[in-house]
Amino acid sequence: MSTDYKFEAVVIPVTDVDKAKAFYQLLDWRLDADFAFDNGFRVVQFTPPGSPASVQFGSNITTAEPGSAQGLYLIVADIEAARSDLAARGVEVSEAFHPTTPGAQFQDDGSGRVAGPADERASYGSFATFTDPDGNAWLLQEVTKRLPGRIDPAETTYTSVDDLRQALQRAAMAHGEHEKRNGGKYDEAWPEWYATYMVAERTGQELPQ
Protein backbone atom coordinates (compact mmCIF):
# COMPACT_ATOMS: atom_id res chain seq x y z
CA MET A 1 0.00 0.00 0.00
CA SER A 2 1.37 3.42 -0.94
CA THR A 3 1.88 6.17 1.63
CA ASP A 4 -0.25 9.31 1.55
CA TYR A 5 1.76 12.49 0.98
CA LYS A 6 -0.52 15.42 1.65
CA PHE A 7 0.78 18.69 0.25
CA GLU A 8 -0.38 21.18 2.86
CA ALA A 9 1.89 24.25 2.86
CA VAL A 10 4.16 26.27 0.60
CA VAL A 11 6.66 28.90 1.76
CA ILE A 12 6.80 32.26 -0.01
CA PRO A 13 9.58 34.83 0.52
CA VAL A 14 8.64 38.29 1.81
CA THR A 15 10.53 41.41 2.90
CA ASP A 16 8.25 42.77 5.62
CA VAL A 17 6.38 40.08 7.55
CA ASP A 18 3.82 42.43 9.08
CA LYS A 19 3.06 44.08 5.74
CA ALA A 20 2.58 40.68 4.13
CA LYS A 21 0.41 39.56 7.04
CA ALA A 22 -1.82 42.63 6.64
CA PHE A 23 -2.22 41.91 2.92
CA TYR A 24 -3.33 38.31 3.38
CA GLN A 25 -5.66 39.35 6.19
CA LEU A 26 -7.17 41.83 3.70
CA LEU A 27 -7.97 38.83 1.48
CA ASP A 28 -9.89 37.31 4.41
CA TRP A 29 -7.68 34.22 4.41
CA ARG A 30 -7.70 32.28 7.68
CA LEU A 31 -4.77 33.11 9.97
CA ASP A 32 -3.58 29.76 11.31
CA ALA A 33 -0.40 30.79 13.09
CA ASP A 34 1.93 33.63 13.93
CA PHE A 35 4.76 32.28 16.07
CA ALA A 36 7.88 34.29 16.89
CA PHE A 37 10.94 32.94 18.71
CA ASP A 38 13.86 34.49 20.57
CA ASN A 39 16.35 33.50 17.86
CA GLY A 40 14.59 35.67 15.27
CA PHE A 41 12.64 32.89 13.60
CA ARG A 42 9.01 33.74 12.89
CA VAL A 43 6.42 31.81 10.93
CA VAL A 44 3.03 33.08 9.77
CA GLN A 45 0.54 30.77 8.08
CA PHE A 46 -2.63 31.61 6.13
CA THR A 47 -5.14 29.33 4.42
CA PRO A 48 -7.31 30.56 1.53
CA PRO A 49 -11.06 29.91 1.91
CA GLY A 50 -11.92 26.39 0.80
CA SER A 51 -8.28 25.37 0.34
CA PRO A 52 -6.69 22.19 1.74
CA ALA A 53 -3.26 23.83 1.47
CA SER A 54 -1.76 26.86 3.20
CA VAL A 55 0.90 29.49 2.61
CA GLN A 56 3.69 30.32 5.06
CA PHE A 57 6.12 33.22 5.31
CA GLY A 58 8.16 34.84 8.04
CA SER A 59 11.66 35.61 9.25
CA ASN A 60 14.60 33.23 8.81
CA ILE A 61 12.29 30.83 7.01
CA THR A 62 13.72 30.89 3.47
CA THR A 63 16.74 32.23 1.58
CA ALA A 64 14.72 32.80 -1.60
CA GLU A 65 14.53 36.33 -2.98
CA PRO A 66 11.39 38.17 -1.80
CA GLY A 67 8.81 38.19 -4.56
CA SER A 68 10.35 35.26 -6.43
CA ALA A 69 7.37 32.93 -5.91
CA GLN A 70 5.50 32.95 -9.20
CA GLY A 71 2.53 31.12 -10.70
CA LEU A 72 0.92 30.14 -7.41
CA TYR A 73 -2.39 28.60 -8.42
CA LEU A 74 -5.70 29.47 -6.79
CA ILE A 75 -8.58 27.45 -8.25
CA VAL A 76 -11.96 29.19 -8.38
CA ALA A 77 -15.38 28.15 -9.66
CA ASP A 78 -16.17 31.59 -11.14
CA ILE A 79 -13.31 33.75 -12.39
CA GLU A 80 -15.38 36.95 -12.57
CA ALA A 81 -16.82 36.49 -9.08
CA ALA A 82 -13.32 35.92 -7.72
CA ARG A 83 -12.03 39.04 -9.46
CA SER A 84 -14.89 41.11 -8.10
CA ASP A 85 -14.23 39.87 -4.58
CA LEU A 86 -10.53 40.76 -4.78
CA ALA A 87 -11.20 44.17 -6.32
CA ALA A 88 -13.75 44.95 -3.58
CA ARG A 89 -11.00 44.29 -1.04
CA GLY A 90 -8.72 46.80 -2.72
CA VAL A 91 -6.51 44.26 -4.47
CA GLU A 92 -5.18 45.15 -7.92
CA VAL A 93 -6.20 42.16 -10.04
CA SER A 94 -5.88 41.70 -13.79
CA GLU A 95 -8.78 41.34 -16.16
CA ALA A 96 -9.87 37.80 -16.87
CA PHE A 97 -8.01 36.33 -19.85
CA HIS A 98 -7.43 33.10 -21.71
CA PRO A 99 -4.18 31.95 -23.32
CA THR A 100 -3.88 31.48 -27.08
CA THR A 101 -0.47 29.85 -26.81
CA PRO A 102 0.55 27.16 -24.30
CA GLY A 103 1.92 28.65 -21.10
CA ALA A 104 0.89 32.22 -21.89
CA GLN A 105 -0.68 32.48 -18.44
CA PHE A 106 2.85 32.53 -17.02
CA GLN A 107 4.24 35.27 -19.28
CA ASP A 108 4.68 38.59 -17.47
CA ASP A 109 4.53 40.63 -20.69
CA GLY A 110 1.00 39.42 -21.46
CA SER A 111 1.94 37.89 -24.78
CA GLY A 112 -0.27 35.08 -26.00
CA ARG A 113 -3.23 36.23 -23.92
CA VAL A 114 -6.69 37.32 -25.05
CA ALA A 115 -8.91 39.44 -22.83
CA GLY A 116 -11.99 37.74 -21.44
CA PRO A 117 -12.77 34.24 -20.17
CA ALA A 118 -12.24 31.21 -22.40
CA ASP A 119 -14.79 30.43 -25.09
CA GLU A 120 -17.90 28.87 -23.54
CA ARG A 121 -16.12 29.25 -20.19
CA ALA A 122 -14.22 26.03 -20.83
CA SER A 123 -12.98 24.52 -17.56
CA TYR A 124 -9.25 25.15 -16.92
CA GLY A 125 -9.21 27.85 -19.61
CA SER A 126 -9.80 31.20 -17.83
CA PHE A 127 -7.26 33.06 -15.71
CA ALA A 128 -6.52 36.26 -13.80
CA THR A 129 -3.49 37.37 -11.79
CA PHE A 130 -2.59 39.46 -8.75
CA THR A 131 0.49 39.92 -6.59
CA ASP A 132 1.24 40.51 -2.93
CA PRO A 133 3.26 43.55 -1.76
CA ASP A 134 6.56 41.82 -2.60
CA GLY A 135 5.49 40.68 -6.05
CA ASN A 136 4.80 37.04 -5.27
CA ALA A 137 2.39 36.22 -8.09
CA TRP A 138 -0.92 34.40 -7.69
CA LEU A 139 -2.73 32.88 -10.65
CA LEU A 140 -6.50 32.44 -10.52
CA GLN A 141 -7.77 29.58 -12.69
CA GLU A 142 -11.43 28.80 -13.28
CA VAL A 143 -12.21 25.10 -12.93
CA THR A 144 -15.82 23.95 -13.12
CA LYS A 145 -15.40 20.36 -14.30
CA ARG A 146 -12.41 18.22 -13.38
CA LEU A 147 -10.72 16.02 -15.94
CA PRO A 148 -11.04 12.28 -15.24
CA GLY A 149 -8.53 11.00 -12.73
CA ARG A 150 -7.80 14.41 -11.22
CA ILE A 151 -9.89 13.99 -8.11
CA ASP A 152 -10.64 11.18 -5.71
CA PRO A 153 -14.05 9.85 -6.84
CA ALA A 154 -14.99 9.38 -3.19
CA GLU A 155 -14.54 13.09 -2.46
CA THR A 156 -17.65 14.97 -3.53
CA THR A 157 -17.83 17.49 -0.70
CA TYR A 158 -18.14 21.25 -1.19
CA THR A 159 -15.81 23.46 0.78
CA SER A 160 -18.09 26.45 1.36
CA VAL A 161 -21.63 27.72 0.94
CA ASP A 162 -20.52 29.73 -2.09
CA ASP A 163 -18.87 26.69 -3.65
CA LEU A 164 -22.12 24.73 -3.29
CA ARG A 165 -24.22 27.66 -4.54
CA GLN A 166 -22.18 27.92 -7.72
CA ALA A 167 -22.41 24.15 -8.28
CA LEU A 168 -26.19 24.33 -7.90
CA GLN A 169 -26.35 27.20 -10.39
CA ARG A 170 -24.39 25.21 -12.98
CA ALA A 171 -26.62 22.17 -12.37
CA ALA A 172 -29.73 24.34 -12.77
CA MET A 173 -28.52 25.71 -16.11
CA ALA A 174 -27.64 22.22 -17.36
CA HIS A 175 -30.99 20.87 -16.15
CA GLY A 176 -32.79 23.61 -18.04
CA GLU A 177 -31.13 22.39 -21.24
CA HIS A 178 -32.04 18.83 -20.26
CA GLU A 179 -35.73 19.78 -20.02
CA LYS A 180 -35.57 21.61 -23.38
CA ARG A 181 -34.21 18.47 -25.03
CA ASN A 182 -37.21 16.62 -23.62
CA GLY A 183 -39.79 18.95 -25.09
CA GLY A 184 -39.86 21.38 -22.18
CA LYS A 185 -41.67 18.89 -19.98
CA TYR A 186 -41.27 19.39 -16.22
CA ASP A 187 -38.87 16.83 -14.81
CA GLU A 188 -40.33 15.45 -11.60
CA ALA A 189 -37.08 13.57 -10.96
CA TRP A 190 -34.99 16.77 -10.97
CA PRO A 191 -33.47 16.17 -7.49
CA GLU A 192 -31.97 12.88 -8.70
CA TRP A 193 -30.77 14.56 -11.92
CA TYR A 194 -29.18 17.42 -9.96
CA ALA A 195 -27.44 15.01 -7.60
CA THR A 196 -26.12 12.87 -10.47
CA TYR A 197 -24.90 15.95 -12.36
CA MET A 198 -23.18 17.54 -9.38
CA VAL A 199 -21.36 14.35 -8.34
CA ALA A 200 -20.29 13.67 -11.94
CA GLU A 201 -19.02 17.24 -12.39
CA ARG A 202 -17.14 17.12 -9.10
CA THR A 203 -15.42 13.83 -9.86
CA GLY A 204 -14.69 14.30 -13.56
CA GLN A 205 -17.18 11.68 -14.79
CA GLU A 206 -19.40 11.93 -17.86
CA LEU A 207 -22.22 14.42 -17.27
CA PRO A 208 -25.86 13.37 -17.68
CA GLN A 209 -27.74 14.72 -20.68
Side-chain angles (χ1 to χ4, degrees):
M1 184 177 67
S2 62
T3 301
D4 285 349
Y5 296 93
K6 297 181 179 180
F7 185 67
E8 293 194 357
V10 63
V11 174
I12 60 172
V14 303
T15 304
D16 186 319
V17 179
D18 289 322
K19 187 175 182 179
K21 179 180 177 181
F23 176 80
Y24 288 101
Q25 284 179 313
L26 177 69
L27 301 186
D28 199 29
W29 291 12
R30 187 184 71 222
L31 176 62
D32 299 323
D34 184 355
F35 301 135
F37 299 86
D38 292 340
N39 64 353
F41 174 67
R42 180 182 176 189
V43 58
V44 178
Q45 176 171 305
F46 281 94
T47 300
S51 175
S54 306
V55 60
Q56 293 183 352
F57 53 86
S59 303
N60 297 335
I61 195 171
T62 178
T63 58
E65 186 71 20
S68 61
Q70 302 292 303
L72 300 166
Y73 272 82
L74 289 171
I75 303 304
V76 298
D78 186 324
I79 196 74
E80 295 294 6
R83 286 190 62 260
S84 296
D85 176 65
L86 289 169
R89 298 178 187 279
V91 177
E92 186 174 338
V93 57
S94 77
E95 294 296 323
F97 66 88
H98 60 279
T100 58
T101 58
Q105 64 267 34
F106 298 109
Q107 302 302 317
D108 292 336
D109 61 4
S111 59
R113 299 179 181 181
V114 174
D119 294 342
E120 299 182 359
R121 298 294 282 269
S123 192
Y124 297 99
S126 303
F127 299 88
T129 61
F130 71 94
T131 62
D132 71 8
D134 282 288
N136 294 304
W138 293 91
L139 183 67
L140 302 179
Q141 182 182 36
E142 183 178 85
V143 176
T144 54
K145 179 185 176 183
R146 297 281 180 175
L147 290 173
R150 294 201 177 185
I151 191 168
D152 185 340
E155 294 183 3
T156 57
T157 57
Y158 294 90
T159 56
S160 68
V161 171
D162 195 54
D163 192 20
L164 177 58
R165 176 187 61 77
Q166 292 174 3
L168 284 166
Q169 287 178 331
R170 294 192 298 273
M173 292 178 63
H175 187 259
E177 295 301 316
H178 165 74
E179 288 187 325
K180 287 180 183 178
R181 286 191 293 270
N182 287 276
K185 182 180 178 181
Y186 175 71
D187 180 15
E188 294 183 354
W190 69 264
E192 180 180 353
W193 197 97
Y194 266 51
T196 302
Y197 183 95
M198 293 170 69
V199 169
E201 182 189 60
R202 200 68 170 177
T203 57
Q205 301 177 58
E206 184 176 354
L207 298 175
Q209 295 301 311

